[in-house]
Amino acid sequence: MIQRRAFLMATVAALALPTKLMAGPSIKGQKLKIRAAGAKAPIEIIEDELGVPHVRAQSLHDAYFGQGYLVARDRLFQIDMDYRRDMGRMAEAFGPRFVAADRAARLFHYRGDIDAELTTLPPGVLECARGYVAGVNARIAELEADPAQMPLEYGILGLAPLRWDVRDLVRNRGIGMGDADDEVRRAQMQALGLLEIDALMAPLRPAWSFTVPEGLDCAAVSEADLGVLNPSARPVPFDAIEEAQLDPAERRADRFAQGSNAWTIAAARSATGRPILANDPHLGIGGFSPRHMVHLTAPGLDVIGGGAPGLPGIMQGHTDRFAFGRTNFHIDQTDLFILRTAQDDPDLYWHEGQWKRFESFEDEIAVKDAPAERVTLRYAQGRPVVAQDPTRQRATAFATTSMLPGGNMRFAIIAINLAKDWVTLREAFKIHTSPTNFHYADIDGNTGWQTIGFTPKRPRHDGLFPAPGDGDFDWTGILSVDEMPHVYNPKEGWFASANQMNLPADYPYGKKVISFGWSDPFRYNRISEVLRSQPRHRIEDSIALQHDVQSLPARALLKLIPATPSAAAAPAAALLRRWDCGIEADSAAALLYEMTLPELQAGFRDLVVPAPARAFIPSVNLFEMLNILAAPDKRLGADPVAARDALIDRALAAGWKKALDQGGADPAQWRWGDLHRVSISHPLSSLPGIAAAFPKIEGGRSGGDGYTPMARGFNAKRGYQVSHGASYLLVADVGAWDNSRFLLLPGQSADPRSPRYSDFYPRWLAGEMQPLWFSRDAVERHAAGRMLLTPA
């Protein structure tokens, strides 16, 4: 229940706060001095006119101390809730409804030797991580001493922030389903003889033949085997509940929507004579910003860019030597293993020809306003046991690379920041678990692409189905960095990644299975089309391409419009034929297209997916559908061309009707941006006190959709509001660093009392990229405030 008195007190406190506490490190022209426990020496922080803090420290520890302190200053509640959720400590703050979620989170805690893991980290990394954690804790201590500065959520909810421990960066590996639900679906469809239909929703790329692992009873596989991996099995009242409410198709779409664009231009193709690297990660839009800006300097370190709040280091940015960016590279990093348990003792499972006992850990979950709950967490070969049914002598172990020894992703970004060149970067990649296309460009003119992330070696299966857990299908290691696809100084002079299937043609795919699930190539194909046409690429060209709204699916659809549409479809056909396929905010045709496309996909599904398979195929893959419609075959019926034309005609008529409903009676007044808006609210805004204290940031209209380079995705089942896209954008002029540009939505701070709460919102909407000042001279010229952290 919301504490109304606490909310009123927090509101009064906000109104009474001194301006300097709400505005950032200092008032312009003054220096704010703060004693910070954990700092080893004085740390100077200069905030520039755009709100980017520049940390000048005397050691690596203190540079990352500055980052931890600043992210806690600007985003404490955001990182505290993530930390609390991942550590399985939500129930102690919010009550019994969170016990299931806490148990699931703790199941994915690393149970190996944490001290051993820390000793294997690359030189300097642990010291940086300790500095980051100390900086977070220093800010928390400062707030505890002066509660008036505490983020408003704590007063409203009656909470206190948790102190951090560097060992938790090893312990917390994070729960995630991976593609486990795909494995279950395929097994179920195989049992019903429907597996070939699966390609309409989840095509295998590259082409591959299904092979069911020997000994797997597909008919026995069900969603119950997912256990706690299924979000509906661990519901919570707010925030993460959204994931539990998604149907499988929506979860799959959201997984593939979390992509990015990046391209790297060699000096030979650059108008500047220097490499250019551009990156715009596509993450959730509508809640907390997924990036926070900072510039860290210390002996042996000079790096600037966007970091993930709560994760030490810079994810995308540049050092004084090289620029770096990243997009999702799809790796199948998970497998479901079906275990046979003993009839008389369900804690025994059959593995490698003998009965073995689950490794068990007892834990206690503190619960607000209720007794603590004891839980037993079970593992098989270090794999979390996510489901168990003693009556069927059955259990499911979930193999995930994130739980392997050495899977220390929370330290990997630091290692990348400390690297000096391509060679030392490839050493840093050895602890980088997450699947990534890594882009590189250095001041000597070198460019490189390296795929990184832990990739399991599966000698006896391909990861497309659950596998028997008797040991015959166990992983035998992970691919080395050298075994992963990579290129250095490619002869083409450019490369790009947009989550498409980008394995080289000569990669030995049959021996080194990486993944069969990739994003549709629409964004990459458009990026490639533009870059190939620009022999002398400019910074301005990269900025324009990041905001490009040309739609390749729309082009494909326009080619398929029947020559003689029906009377009901004719108005839609006429409007679309006059359109240039740009998903512009002020476009009437774009609105019509976005109304028509879902109608076409739904009609196509009903036409080609047999009724028994529709429960497994709630939606069809857009790329596959357009390819089939372009070359219609017997799947559409006895007369495929006529069936296709009738299908498109019906979709046009339905889309026109829907556009009238959504856009109004006058098509001349239709504007896609009137529906496709950018609204940002607190993730807990369903609580009245939070909603009152944290005003929505809204009103902005947007072009684009999930398939344009300027990715502004949405879920039509939940409306047309932008739900994912590039909230952080970077274009780096390699070597002339002060020419680099960036954007961050909506601002650095999540505190509505700060002028950095939404200052970037209008700039982001307008696509007005801002300078990312890096040189000492530029930072001094644009300094807006100064802070000095001194050891307590």
Side-chain angles (χ1 to χ4, degrees):
M1 180 177 292
I2 300 302
Q3 300 184 20
R4 296 182 182 276
R5 183 171 180 273
F7 165 63
L8 292 173
M9 291 175 65
T11 304
V12 171
L15 295 174
L17 270 180
T19 303
K20 69 176 183 179
L21 296 181
M22 299 167 57
S26 73
I27 303 173
K28 188 175 179 68
Q30 300 179 8
K31 178 179 286 188
L32 182 64
K33 295 182 180 180
I34 296 174
R35 293 176 63 82
K40 293 186 175 182
I43 305 167
E44 183 181 23
I45 300 174
I46 300 174
E47 185 174 279
D48 68 31
E49 296 164 359
L50 295 171
V52 176
H54 303 261
V55 178
R56 296 174 178 172
Q58 299 176 38
S59 66
L60 294 175
H61 174 280
D62 280 0
Y64 283 87
F65 181 100
Q67 185 188 22
Y69 178 90
L70 289 165
V71 78
R73 182 198 70 179
D74 294 334
R75 308 284 187 85
L76 179 59
F77 187 77
Q78 178 182 358
I79 66 172
D80 185 39
M81 285 299 102
D82 287 345
Y83 186 70
R84 185 181 287 277
R85 181 198 64 224
D86 292 341
M87 294 309 300
R89 296 182 61 181
M90 296 290 281
E92 70 179 81
F94 299 107
R97 291 174 295 176
F98 282 86
V99 170
D102 281 353
R103 183 191 181 280
R106 296 183 188 208
L107 184 62
F108 283 80
H109 286 178
Y110 183 67
R111 300 295 173 177
D113 187 335
I114 290 179
D115 290 330
E117 292 291 295
L118 292 173
T119 61
T120 63
L121 294 173
V125 169
L126 179 56
E127 187 67 6
C128 295
R130 285 175 170 153
Y132 185 92
V133 168
V136 172
N137 288 337
R139 177 58 178 173
I140 293 173
E142 182 183 348
L143 295 173
E144 290 170 344
D146 184 3
Q149 295 189 60
M150 191 73 76
L152 299 176
E153 295 98 334
Y154 293 100
I156 297 169
L157 299 172
L159 298 180
L162 297 175
R163 294 294 185 101
W164 285 39
D165 184 337
V166 73
R167 294 166 60 84
D168 291 337
L169 300 183
V170 177
R171 181 177 290 109
N172 169 29
R173 298 299 176 93
I175 186 171
M177 185 184 294
D179 68 342
D181 53 344
D182 291 339
E183 294 180 20
V184 168
R185 185 189 68 253
R186 292 190 193 102
Q188 292 175 309
M189 295 184 73
Q190 169 69 13
L192 297 172
L194 299 170
L195 188 55
E196 73 279 2
I197 307 298
D198 192 60
L200 293 173
M201 182 175 78
L204 301 185
R205 298 167 181 160
W208 194 258
S209 297
F210 288 113
T211 301
V212 177
E214 183 179 353
L216 177 68
D217 181 3
C218 288
V221 176
S222 72
E223 285 201 0
D225 291 316
L226 294 172
V228 300
L229 296 176
N230 196 327
S232 63
R234 45 186 168 87
V236 294
F238 52 70
D239 196 9
I241 192 67
E242 184 175 329
E243 182 187 9
Q245 292 173 332
L246 300 180
D247 63 37
E250 289 178 306
R251 284 202 299 269
R252 179 179 176 82
D254 278 5
R255 185 165 81 237
F256 283 96
Q258 302 299 304
S260 305
N261 299 327
W263 51 89
T264 304
I265 312 297
R269 289 186 65 96
S270 167
T272 68
R274 299 177 296 273
I276 295 172
L277 187 148
N279 192 194
D280 52 293
H282 304 163
L283 301 167
I285 290 177
F288 291 134
S289 175
R291 291 291 179 266
H292 181 264
M293 302 295 297
V294 72
H295 179 191
L296 306 177
T297 58
L301 177 71
D302 196 354
V303 62
I304 191 171
L311 185 68
I314 303 300
M315 294 279 286
Q316 290 112 339
H318 68 79
T319 71
D320 55 334
R321 296 285 309 168
F322 61 85
F324 56 97
R326 61 178 53 230
T327 66
N328 281 359
F329 176 72
H330 294 286
I331 301 176
D332 183 357
Q333 297 184 307
T334 62
D335 276 323
L336 284 179
F337 285 99
I338 307 301
L339 308 176
R340 177 165 65 95
T341 58
Q343 185 173 10
D344 56 348
D345 187 348
D347 277 349
L348 295 177
Y349 66 100
W350 187 256
H351 187 261
E352 295 181 331
Q354 60 181 308
W355 292 107
K356 296 181 180 179
R357 187 165 296 279
F358 289 132
E359 308 102 61
S360 296
F361 293 86
E362 297 293 323
D363 208 346
E364 184 173 277
I365 299 175
V367 184
K368 181 182 180 181
D369 299 329
E373 294 202 20
R374 298 288 300 177
V375 296
T376 301
L377 307 170
R378 296 178 174 85
Y379 302 82
Q381 308 301 305
R383 301 163 181 162
V385 176
V386 296
Q388 193 170 8
D389 186 351
T391 64
R392 299 175 64 202
Q393 294 180 246
R394 187 180 184 89
T396 309
F398 184 60
T400 171
T401 58
S402 66
M403 291 290 286
L404 294 177
N408 290 306
M409 183 63 207
R410 295 176 187 273
F411 299 88
I413 306 305
I414 299 172
I416 288 171
N417 295 168
L418 296 180
K420 303 303 179 187
D421 52 27
W422 182 248
V423 173
T424 51
L425 264 174
R426 299 184 85 226
E427 284 296 311
F429 294 157
K430 292 179 179 179
I431 64 169
H432 193 290
T433 315
S434 181
T436 300
N437 290 289
F438 193 89
H439 285 239
Y440 169 90
D442 68 29
I443 59 175
D444 295 322
N446 299 303
T447 61
W449 165 70
Q450 173 76 56
T451 60
I452 53 179
F454 283 15
T455 304
K457 293 181 179 179
R458 300 177 174 93
R460 295 199 57 201
H461 70 120
D462 53 22
L464 291 173
F465 293 88
D470 56 9
D472 287 351
F473 299 93
D474 283 0
W475 298 348
T476 58
I478 60 173
L479 297 182
S480 68
V481 172
D482 287 336
E483 291 177 285
M484 297 292 286
H486 60 276
V487 66
Y488 190 62
N489 289 327
K491 62 181 180 180
E492 295 82 2
W494 69 273
F495 51 90
S497 62
N499 322 113
Q500 81 285 6
M501 204 289 287
N502 58 350
L503 297 172
D506 60 351
Y507 189 74
Y509 204 85
K511 297 179 180 179
K512 301 175 183 178
V513 171
I514 292 179
S515 177
F516 296 101
W518 307 80
S519 299
D520 285 340
F522 298 119
R523 284 183 288 110
Y524 172 79
N525 289 347
R526 173 57 180 166
I527 291 166
S528 175
E529 176 183 72
V530 171
L531 293 181
R532 290 180 192 278
S533 71
Q534 296 172 337
R536 288 292 179 267
H537 186 83
R538 304 170 302 158
I539 295 292
E540 294 85 351
D541 295 327
S542 273
I543 293 172
L545 186 51
Q546 287 182 333
H547 295 88
D548 185 280
V549 293
Q550 184 66 195
S551 170
L552 298 196
R555 285 189 197 171
L557 176 58
L558 264 60
K559 293 177 182 178
L560 301 175
I561 294 177
T564 54
S566 67
L575 179 55
L576 290 177
R577 283 180 176 140
R578 298 192 299 268
W579 182 39
D580 67 356
C581 297
I583 312 292
E584 302 283 355
D586 289 328
S587 171
L591 183 148
L592 172 61
Y593 164 76
E594 299 292 356
M595 301 301 107
T596 301
L597 191 61
E599 300 292 335
L600 179 60
Q601 288 181 280
F604 179 83
R605 170 183 174 271
D606 292 343
L607 182 62
V608 302
V609 177
R614 290 176 190 165
F616 303 103
I617 310 293
S619 64
V620 294
N621 177 269
L622 179 58
F623 190 74
E624 292 299 305
M625 180 191 76
L626 291 173
N627 284 340
I628 293 171
L629 294 179
D633 56 31
K634 63 182 181 180
R635 285 175 288 186
L636 299 185
D639 187 344
V641 173
R644 177 198 63 190
D645 290 349
L647 174 68
I648 294 173
D649 191 277
R650 289 192 297 272
L652 290 169
W656 183 263
K657 183 177 183 299
K658 195 170 183 180
L660 289 170
D661 292 340
Q662 294 290 332
D666 183 4
Q669 300 301 314
W670 292 350
R671 301 290 183 269
W672 170 231
D674 290 345
L675 300 180
H676 195 47
R677 292 185 177 271
V678 182
S679 178
I680 299 173
S681 57
H682 196 287
L684 306 188
S685 60
S686 60
L687 304 177
I690 295 290
F694 293 82
K696 272 190 177 182
I697 304 168
E698 58 184 346
R701 303 162 66 254
S702 177
D705 64 13
Y707 300 106
T708 54
M710 188 184 84
R712 302 280 169 89
F714 63 97
N715 185 324
K717 293 182 180 179
R718 290 178 279 172
Y720 302 102
Q721 178 174 307
V722 175
S723 61
H724 67 266
S727 54
Y728 168 65
L729 302 91
L730 169 74
V731 177
D733 187 345
V734 178
W737 300 118
D738 289 337
N739 295 335
S740 301
R741 295 292 182 266
F742 83 105
L743 279 174
L744 178 72
L745 179 75
Q748 278 279 81
S749 176
D751 191 331
R753 299 169 294 182
S754 169
R756 304 300 183 192
Y757 180 63
S758 60
D759 57 324
F760 263 74
Y761 182 72
R763 295 164 173 154
W764 184 87
L765 288 169
E768 296 174 352
M769 300 280 279
Q770 300 298 304
L772 185 59
W773 296 302
F774 180 74
S775 70
R776 195 175 187 91
D777 287 346
V779 172
E780 291 293 341
R781 285 198 310 272
H782 297 282
R786 297 175 186 270
M787 175 193 297
L788 185 66
L789 301 180
T790 59

